[in-house]
Amino acid sequence: MSKTTKIVSLVLMVAVLIIAGAVIVSRRSNQATTTTTTSQKEGKTVQNPKTLIVYYSRTGNTKAVAEIIQSQVGGDLVQIETKSARPTNYRAEVEQNETEQNTDTLPALKSLPDLSQYDRIFIGSPTWNMALPQAVVAFLRANKFTGKTVIPFNTNGGYGVGSVFTQIKQEAKGATVLQGFSIKGGEEINGVLLAIRGNRRVTVSKSVTTWLKSIKQTQ
């Protein structure tokens, strides 16, 4: 074998070794990326969770809080709505709601997004008869929350959260349920409907910021 031939063979051998090494490094890199992605899907190392903010609102106060949360953490905003129209008269709504609660009747809901695509779900509800409206109960029972992070929020007429947060925790089986946020909204019984607006909305927004920081759920 000539000297030139030996040199060419040596160069080719070195080139083959370099290419083989690059392939191994590439495979290891891809494997690490796949592992990280899988862990994120399992909720182990999620840095930017896919967020849903779902709410039920009659006079707009819970909706206002939902919008404030969205402005601070992003995510998709969806309203829970019943297929059949609810009574517009306050007294009629109170009576219908009490009947539904007492008989555990669940109203049919309009379609909602597939929860499987979300990691973090904010659930907003007013306090009705010191409990969840049955429409929200229907939403909770129609979905699976295993492995999700659920964060409740509430508006009320001044009598507090009632059993709203307790019910959400009970119904959202398999979820990690964080500390909820509750604030006074309107007083429909006294004719005060949408109260979280103007300067009041600014004040509530600051309270939401403080709450989100306390539960480490800022954007």
Side-chain angles (χ1 to χ4, degrees), residues 82 84 184 186 203:
T82 57
S84 299
K184 183 180 178 182
T203 301

Side-chain angles (χ1 to χ4, degrees), residues 18-216:
I18 291 173
I19 293 171
V23 169
I24 292 172
V25 170
S26 177
R27 286 178 178 175
R28 288 178 178 174
S29 177
N30 289 338
Q31 184 178 12
T33 301
T34 302
T35 302
T36 300
T37 303
T38 301
S39 295
Q40 288 176 341
K41 287 182 179 179
E42 291 174 352
K44 295 178 181 178
T45 59
V46 175
Q47 298 299 320
N48 297 298
K50 178 70 172 175
T51 301
L52 173 66
I53 304 161
V54 60
Y55 68 92
Y56 186 66
S57 189
R58 174 176 165 82
T59 57
N61 291 290
T62 308
K63 178 182 179 181
V65 176
E67 291 171 344
I68 291 170
I69 293 171
Q70 185 190 38
S71 72
Q72 297 193 26
V73 304
D76 297 330
L77 186 66
V78 178
Q79 182 173 0
I80 297 172
E81 297 181 278
T82 57
K83 287 184 178 180
S84 299
R86 303 293 299 186
T88 55
N89 178 271
Y90 171 69
R91 290 294 180 186
E93 174 64 282
V94 168
E95 291 176 5
Q96 180 171 325
N97 174 67
E98 287 186 356
T99 298
E100 290 174 344
Q101 289 176 330
N102 292 336
T103 59
D104 198 22
T105 300
L106 300 178
L109 304 179
K110 293 183 180 179
S111 60
L112 290 165
D114 179 10
L115 266 60
S116 66
Q117 64 182 303
Y118 297 100
D119 308 298
R120 177 173 64 174
I121 304 170
F122 289 82
I123 301 176
S125 172
T127 302
W128 283 9
N129 192 30
M130 299 308 293
L132 278 177
Q134 287 298 98
V136 182
V137 176
F139 164 75
L140 290 165
R141 292 184 184 174
N143 290 284
K144 294 182 179 180
F145 296 90
T146 302
K148 310 293 185 184
T149 296
V150 169
I151 310 168
F153 61 98
N154 161 264
T155 61
N156 59 80
Y159 295 96
V161 69
S163 64
V164 166
F165 291 167
T166 301
Q167 287 180 272
I168 289 176
K169 188 171 185 178
Q170 289 174 341
E171 297 290 350
K173 295 177 175 61
T176 298
V177 182
L178 303 186
Q179 176 188 339
F181 174 81
S182 182
I183 196 110
K184 183 180 178 182
E187 296 179 59
E188 194 169 1
I189 190 172
N190 295 319
V192 180
L193 304 182
L194 179 57
I196 302 178
R197 58 180 177 176
N199 291 334
R200 173 66 173 156
R201 183 169 177 133
V202 173
T203 301
V204 172
S205 181
K206 292 178 180 178
S207 296
V208 168
T209 300
T210 300
W211 164 61
L212 290 172
K213 287 181 179 179
S214 72
I215 60 173
K216 297 180 174 56

